[in-house]
Each structure stands twice: as structure tokens, then as C-alpha cells.
């Protein structure tokens, strides 16, 4: 039995690059698609938001002298590229899906609309919502909080490359320990960089719990859906 009926899955752009350091690793993409298919087959309604950091980030553009808004627009287009790639990988596994865009660009994707997204989810389609919020100066973490709240998801599942939320970055500090559960307030007070503060605050104010887990371990998405204690649960 699935613990959640409707989820918002957030994947970072970087997670799609695998060990390549840039772009999209086809094997990694196919593995993610398999995990998503497994829970879709169980009847879980799945909304997805993907980042674009494997291709472009507005902040890095600004650091290199680009206009910030144009850089952010480039970043949002990067999320569309990743969303099309994941949609295509899901299609090749026979999983019905659609890519929606927060900025109009038919026929690449359908213009995002909460009610159309929910209708598609209820029909069993995976809905990939690209362009983050559609606005510059935001991140796809905030985009996923927003979409998760809009589609009335039971939980936001943040798939990362680490096993959850740690007291410090475990890739840099070997003494870092992992939380099984933590409140939104503690995440904010400790300045833990799970998501940006805007995204965490939105989840807090709208009671959207977050489960942070390692999506790079095959089968983990199914374990989270089955209610196993995988990763860190962020709660009110
Ligand atoms: N972005 C934006 N508005 C949004 C979401 C994303 O302008 O609502 C831009 C921003 O430049 C960001 C880039 O898209 O750096 C890629 O998104 P993000 O950094 O969140 O990707 P991730 O870190 O998850 O790969």
C-alpha cells in the first residue's frame, strides 16, 4: 500500500548529469524513469519539478557578467530541456506523461494550469512542470514548493545525491550526522541548506511536509512511497 496518494517529486538538474559533470547522462535518466514508473504502476499520482543546474544557472551567468534576468530565463529554459528528456525517457517505458511550462512555449509544452495538471494526474499521467515558478530570482526548489502546494500533494519528495539532511555537508565534514526528522523552524534556525529559505517557508506556511532522500539508490523512491524511514522528514 502506498503511503501517499499524490506526490510532488523534486529532482535537481545536477542529479541528471550523473558523473559526467554536465548535461544529461542517459543511463542515469533511464534509471530515474524506472523508479518513477514503479510508483506510477502502483497508482501514485506524480507531479515532477526538475532543476536546470546541470545546464545553466542564472547566478553563474550574472557572475560572468550576464544580465541576471536573462540568465534566469536561460536557467528556466534549461529546466524545460531536462523535463523533455525525462518525459521522453518515461514515454519509452510506456508511462503516459506531459510536460507543462510556466512560460508559454507551445508546442514544446502545454501552458501550466493547476486544474489541467490535476485532471491529468487523476487520469494517471505523470505531470512534469517546467520553468520553476516562471519568474526570475526564484529557484526550482521554490517552484516545487509552489507546485506541490497548488496540486495539493500529500508530500514533497526531494530526491538528492545524499541520504537526507545532515548537521553539516557530509561530503565535506566526516563528523556530520543525519536527522531522521526535523521541523521547518529548525531547518531555518540552523541555516541548513536543504532548500532555499523561500521554498522552506512556503512549505511551512502551507503545511507541505518534505521528505529528503537519496534518489541515486535504486528502489529508494519505492521505499519512501511504502512509508519506510528513508532519508529525513521535514515537518511542521
Ligand atoms: N530559475 C528561475 N526561476 C525559477 C526557477 C529557476 O529563474 O522559478 C532559473 C535560475 O536561474 C536557476 C536555474 O533556473 O539557477 C536553474 O534552476 P535551479 O538552480 O533551481 O536548478 P537545480 O539547482 O535544482 O538544478
Amino acid at each position: 500500500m502506498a503511503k501517499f496518494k499524490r506526490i510532488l517529486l523534486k529532482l535537481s538538474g545536477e542529479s541528471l548529469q550523473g558523473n559526467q559533470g554536465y548535461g544529461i547522462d542517459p543511463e542515469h535518466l533511464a534509471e530515474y524513469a524506472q523508479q518513477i514508473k514503479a510508483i506510477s504502476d502502483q497508482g501514485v499520482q506524480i507531479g515532477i519539478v526538475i532543476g536546470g543546474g546541470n545546464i545553466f544557472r542564472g547566478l553563474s551567468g550574472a557572475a560572468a557578467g550576464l544580465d541576471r534576468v536573462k540568465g534566469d530565463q536561460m536557467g528556466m529554459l534549461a529546466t524545460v530541456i531536462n523535463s523533455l528528456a525525462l518525459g521522453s525517457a518515461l514515454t519509452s517505458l510506456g508511462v503516459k506523461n506531459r510536460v507543462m511550462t510556466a512560460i508559454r512555449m507551445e508546442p514544446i509544452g502545454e501552458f501550466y494550469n493547476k486544474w489541467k495538471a490535476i485532471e491529468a494526474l487523476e487520469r494517471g499521467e505523470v505531470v512534469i512542470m517546467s520553468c520553476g515558478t516562471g519568474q526570475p530570482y526564484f529557484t526550482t526548489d521554490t517552484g516545487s514548493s509552489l507546485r506541490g502546494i497548488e496540486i495539493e500533494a500529500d508530500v514533497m519528495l526531494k530526491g538528492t545525491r545524499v541520504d537526507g539532511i545532515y548537521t553539516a555537508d557530509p561530503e565535506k565534514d566526516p563528523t556530520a550526522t543525519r536527522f531522521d526528522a526535523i521541523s521547518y523552524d529548525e531547518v531555518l534556525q540552523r541555516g541548513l541548506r536543504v532548500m532555499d529559505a523561500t521554498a522552506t517557508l512556503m512549505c511551512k506556511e502551507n503545511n507541505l511536509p518534505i521528505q529528503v532522500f537519496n534518489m541515486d539508490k535504486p528502489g529508494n523512491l519505492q521505499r519512501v512511497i511504502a512509508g519506510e524511514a528513508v532519508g529525513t522528514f521535514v515537518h511542521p
Side-chain angles (χ1 to χ4, degrees):
M1 260 295 282
K3 183 177 173 190
F4 307 110
K5 182 168 177 271
R6 184 178 294 162
I7 63 159
L8 187 293
L9 175 66
K10 161 76 208 296
L11 298 174
S12 76
E14 276 178 2
S15 65
L16 295 185
Q17 72 192 14
N19 298 322
Q20 286 185 174
Y22 181 81
I24 301 168
D25 172 14
E27 274 178 31
H28 221 74
L29 184 70
E31 204 286 310
Y32 278 2
Q34 286 285 1
Q35 291 201 57
I36 294 162
K37 175 181 165 42
I39 63 162
S40 172
D41 288 347
Q42 285 178 260
V44 178
Q45 297 181 14
I46 310 161
I48 302 179
V49 168
I50 315 183
N54 55 324
I55 300 172
F56 198 83
R57 282 209 175 90
L59 267 179
S60 343
L66 273 187
D67 175 75
R68 171 71 193 266
V69 173
K70 287 202 165 48
D72 280 340
Q73 289 169 338
M74 291 165 72
M76 286 187 269
L77 290 174
T79 73
V80 179
I81 294 175
N82 287 334
S83 299
L84 293 174
L86 183 63
S88 173
L90 287 169
T91 302
S92 67
L93 295 178
V95 181
K96 281 219 168 77
N97 68 89
R98 70 175 60 199
V99 173
M100 295 185 126
T101 64
I103 296 167
R104 272 195 187 280
M105 56 180 90
E106 292 98 342
I108 288 176
E110 184 181 345
F111 190 43
Y112 173 77
N113 169 311
K114 164 189 168 154
W115 294 277
K116 282 197 173 161
I118 290 180
E119 272 172 29
L121 289 168
E122 286 174 343
R123 277 198 302 273
E125 284 180 45
V126 173
V127 180
I128 307 171
M129 293 162 279
S130 65
C131 303
T133 63
Q135 300 296 331
Y137 297 97
F138 286 98
T139 63
T140 51
D141 278 342
T142 304
S144 63
S145 308
L146 175 64
R147 297 300 180 230
I149 293 159
E150 280 188 283
I151 64 166
E152 298 163 32
D154 301 321
V155 68
M156 184 206 294
L157 302 183
K158 186 170 156 81
T160 66
R161 294 180 295 177
V162 285
D163 288 328
I165 305 175
Y166 284 76
T167 46
D169 184 345
E171 286 174 7
K172 291 182 189 140
D173 180 352
T175 66
T177 53
R178 184 172 61 79
F179 295 97
D180 290 331
I182 186 170
S183 68
Y184 303 113
D185 284 337
E186 202 175 344
V187 166
L188 291 167
Q189 277 156 16
R190 285 174 174 259
L192 298 172
R193 286 184 300 151
V194 187
M195 304 202 299
D196 54 87
T198 314
T200 308
L201 262 179
M202 273 200 78
C203 289
K204 172 177 145 79
E205 283 173 358
N206 295 281
N207 284 314
L208 179 65
I210 312 161
Q211 182 85 29
V212 182
F213 70 105
N214 189 340
M215 179 87 180
D216 281 3
K217 288 199 180 143
N220 253 3
L221 181 58
Q222 258 180 300
R223 286 185 200 106
V224 171
I225 292 295
E228 284 180 37
V230 176
T232 304
F233 187 58
V234 188
H235 56 84

